[in-house]
Amino acid sequence: MPLNEKGNIAVWNARTLSKKPSILTGHHKTVSALALSHQPTCHFLCSCSSDNIILWNLMQNGGQPTKGKVLHSHMEPPIYCSFGSDNSEIAVSFPTGLWVFDLKKNSWTKSVEGTCFTIFAFVKRDVLLGVEKNFLKTWHLESKETEIKVSVSTDFSTTLCVYKPNAIIIIGTACGHLYIFDMKYTLIRSIQIWKLVTQQIKCDSSGDGTFHDVKSDSFPIYSLQVFGYENFSNPDVYLLNPIYLLVVTSTCLFILEINNEEIIFYTDFNGYFVFDEIKTQIGLVRSSATACNADYSEVSKNLIC
């Protein structure tokens, strides 16, 4: 996570969170985009600011990297970045365009002007899927053609998840909406997450009189991750091909079974947790990062409060 306006970055090991983080120094301006590489080589980090785009090897020097590789310097502030599915490319978006760096060729090989993807992901090696001005678009890297697929929503899209095993695309928005598309870009489901959470809070607090309604205009969805497991809490129950979605918002984390729109796990960040025998509270979350193992059976979340 970015630490300050000087461009320093803190990196924690999820297995040893009690230890001090590694501090990466290489930027001199605010870091505006970060991306981790994917499994199985998930130890590379791309950090972006208006002074430098840097690639870090987080395994260097025993997990304490002293210097990253500068891929580009002095540009307009980057908006978003992402590794390709095989980690051979890095895409970076700007207010006026989008660039792709080929790690094998060690050079910037592709670019498109006039397209500003605020969020995006690689759906194929040569195809990027992203959101621009509330439209879901594709960018074909080889032909350099962009194509509008569908209108997404009227509110701001904040996160994008492409889950290839079930061939679905999920977009979360700043107002607590989920839009689920198939790979042909047909809308197959629209879910008002903030309403589901309101019902959940009402059920949880029905006996103590502390229920407060949730407002949709203050319920941004920060991250999404689809994953699967065969049973939950009850070993005698087998769920046939369910689609589970882990959702992080500014005020809560929950697991949603998409097919029946049921919340099966819910945690309120305003509630209290006991960690190492210390009672603590998370409070309001400002951002979230996701890590998932190769078969999507385990998901971890880092929260920035």
Side-chain angles (χ1 to χ4, degrees), residues 150-169:
V150 67
S151 175
V152 178
S153 69
T154 55
D155 57 295
F156 186 74
S157 299
T158 52
T159 184
L160 169 70
C161 177
V162 179
Y163 187 64
K164 293 181 181 179
N166 286 88
I168 56 174
I169 302 162

Side-chain angles (χ1 to χ4, degrees), residues 72-135:
H72 196 79
S73 298
H74 307 300
M75 71 230 91
E76 56 187 338
I79 296 174
Y80 195 82
C81 62
S82 178
F83 281 81
S85 56
D86 61 356
N87 295 322
S88 64
E89 295 177 307
I90 301 172
V92 182
S93 65
F94 303 89
T96 58
L98 197 150
W99 304 348
V100 174
F101 188 89
D102 191 313
L103 292 170
K104 294 180 180 179
K105 296 180 180 179
N106 195 32
S107 64
W108 296 95
T109 56
K110 303 176 182 72
S111 66
V112 62
E113 302 300 327
T115 294
C116 176
F117 285 169
T118 53
I119 53 174
F120 61 85
F122 283 85
V123 289
K124 297 179 182 178
R125 176 174 170 77
D126 60 342
V127 179
L128 275 177
L129 176 70
V131 176
E132 180 186 32
K133 296 179 180 178
N134 297 324
F135 286 97

Side-chain angles (χ1 to χ4, degrees), residues 52-63:
N52 290 312
I53 297 175
I54 302 178
L55 178 65
W56 306 86
N57 182 349
L58 300 180
M59 300 294 288
Q60 181 191 45
N61 192 32

